[in-house]
Amino acid sequence: MARIELWLQLENQPWDLAPNGIDRATGESFTRDTSGMFKPLSGGALIFRRCAPNWTAPADVKLNPWDLNELEPALTRGTIPGATIELKVGDEAIIHFRNMDMRAGFSESERTHSLHAHGVQHSVMYDGTYPISPPDPSQGNKQGDRVPPGGTFDYLFTVPHLSNAGVWMYHDHSMAAASSIARGAFGAIVVLAGGESRPILPTQPLRVASDSATHFANVPVPPAAGAHLFFLHELAGVGECLNGHQRLGNTPSVIARTNTRVKFRVLNLTNRAQSFHLHGHRWKRGDDWVDTEVVGVGGGMSFEVLEGTAETGGGNGEWMISSPTSEVCGSLIVTDGGALSLPIGAAA
């Protein structure tokens, strides 16, 4: 059993819904506004950021290392969803949380937050659910369901059983939960079962400065096995998003190659059930073969394909990932690496 320590900080930050400045589905290009963003989220975002020990500096990492559209989180000042908490069955985790919501014009109660985790084992003191989480005597009777601006709280979790394995979510569950979740105050927890490996990371950048949202000079060869996170959610005033973004060319376009195992981890924090359809593919669900998964509100699921085979379909090219119940979509790009050009729709 490993003891994992993570430092997470909730921050108010500006956020661009379309940081690559394009909608590939329509061919529409966007213009930066005075903030330097293409589609800024009005009122900004609340982001759970990974930090170095004792919150001395940001230590952000990408949600999907093999996503062509995801910019380096140092540039975007974090990710939506927030930092992924990755554990293995048998681990113990200490999440050192600091609330740095410093929004002007908001009351202290509106800027008081918590961290509530799904899928893990913990004492009721670490449930982070307002107003019922009791004080923790070991932390000076602080309460994890009401961490004030500038305050801290340590959450202790374990994942002792195979039933903990999978993809789960965490989110604010304070008195201000609804409004803060609508600004991005949530993230994913990935618990690996025995035998599951952590993802292989690229050894070179996926894109260089001269690349655009449709042309890439030298995409690295995708790994022998990959795992990708797709988080459906809503943001205040703009509706449904996928990993914090809208419009094809900004939402995830993950890459893989044929004859490799590709896992998809899907979470839904919208206000309705969502379907997840990977075009041109199918996979086993119980005794049946399916090509669409329905994910309930607050739920998550995982599935895996053997890319480009008779068993699960696919093959070289770009495959849309869509939901008939949602306007947002992403894609899976199957490639051996090298120069890559992607199609674009015609502007109306």
Side-chain angles (χ1 to χ4, degrees):
M1 179 182 73
R3 185 181 177 91
I4 308 297
E5 286 191 79
L6 291 174
W7 279 261
L8 296 186
Q9 180 163 284
L10 188 67
E11 300 179 6
N12 54 296
Q13 293 286 0
W15 185 256
D16 196 341
L17 296 159
N20 293 316
I22 194 171
D23 184 343
R24 283 183 49 218
T26 65
E28 183 181 5
S29 295
F30 309 125
T31 303
R32 295 186 190 274
D33 69 3
T34 54
S35 72
M37 295 186 173
F38 293 105
K39 293 286 183 181
L41 177 65
S42 179
L46 290 171
I47 299 175
F48 281 102
R49 296 187 72 179
R50 184 189 304 271
C51 294
N54 300 309
W55 309 283
T56 52
D60 304 300
V61 297
K62 291 178 70 172
L63 295 169
N64 289 318
W66 296 94
D67 178 2
L68 288 175
N69 294 331
E70 184 179 348
L71 301 182
E72 289 299 325
L75 300 175
T76 57
R77 286 172 280 191
T79 60
I80 297 178
T84 299
I85 298 172
E86 188 176 281
L87 306 170
K88 278 197 165 187
V89 170
D91 284 350
E92 176 182 88
I94 302 176
I95 310 300
H96 304 284
F97 171 63
R98 182 164 73 170
N99 176 11
M100 292 299 286
D101 180 357
M102 299 301 170
R103 290 175 293 169
F106 288 80
S107 67
E108 181 169 313
S109 63
E110 291 173 308
R111 295 183 295 117
T112 293
H113 302 291
S114 72
L115 190 155
H116 168 69
H118 293 210
V120 299
Q121 195 95 350
H122 54 70
S123 159
V124 70
M125 290 187 297
Y126 308 124
D127 194 46
T129 301
Y130 184 84
I132 63 174
S133 295
D136 183 359
S138 70
Q139 299 187 61
N141 287 323
K142 291 192 289 187
Q143 289 176 267
D145 62 355
R146 58 195 77 182
V147 183
T152 65
F153 191 84
D154 293 342
Y155 298 90
L156 277 62
F157 305 142
T158 60
V159 285
H161 194 270
L162 186 59
S163 63
N164 297 115
V167 62
W168 312 90
M169 65 178 68
Y170 68 88
H171 55 83
D172 184 10
H173 210 314
S174 66
M175 64 183 77
S179 60
S180 61
I181 289 172
R183 297 215 165 267
F186 52 84
I189 300 172
V190 173
V191 182
L192 304 176
E196 280 193 271
S197 300
R198 288 187 163 85
I200 299 169
L201 302 178
T203 57
Q204 68 184 70
L206 268 63
R207 55 193 301 166
V208 296
S210 59
D211 288 347
S212 69
T214 57
H215 298 284
F216 302 85
N218 188 23
V219 174
V221 177
H228 310 292
L229 176 68
F230 284 73
F231 204 130
L232 286 153
H233 61 93
E234 298 173 63
L235 289 176
V238 299
E240 292 177 358
C241 300
L242 185 56
N243 289 17
H245 297 120
Q246 295 179 327
R247 315 295 183 97
L248 189 65
N250 306 281
T251 54
S253 286
V254 297
I255 62 173
R257 56 190 168 96
T258 56
N259 295 304
T260 61
R261 291 283 177 187
V262 185
K263 176 171 280 191
F264 294 87
R265 298 181 173 120
V266 187
L267 290 162
N268 176 22
L269 197 51
T270 69
N271 62 7
R272 56 181 176 166
Q274 296 280 0
S275 59
F276 185 90
H277 173 49
L278 173 57
H279 292 211
H281 293 72
R282 58 203 171 274
W283 52 92
K284 199 74 179 289
R285 176 62 65 200
D287 293 330
D288 299 318
W289 287 89
V290 300
D291 69 354
T292 302
E293 297 282 358
V294 177
V295 187
V297 177
M301 53 75 59
S302 301
F303 69 90
E304 186 176 271
V305 298
L306 181 58
E307 180 53 49
T309 64
E311 177 183 295
T312 57
N316 286 333
E318 184 173 19
W319 302 94
M320 185 169 283
I321 298 170
S322 65
S323 168
T325 59
S326 175
E327 295 181 358
V328 296
C329 61
S331 67
L332 168 66
I333 299 169
V334 183
T335 175
D336 293 324
L340 179 67
S341 293
L342 301 176
I344 186 170

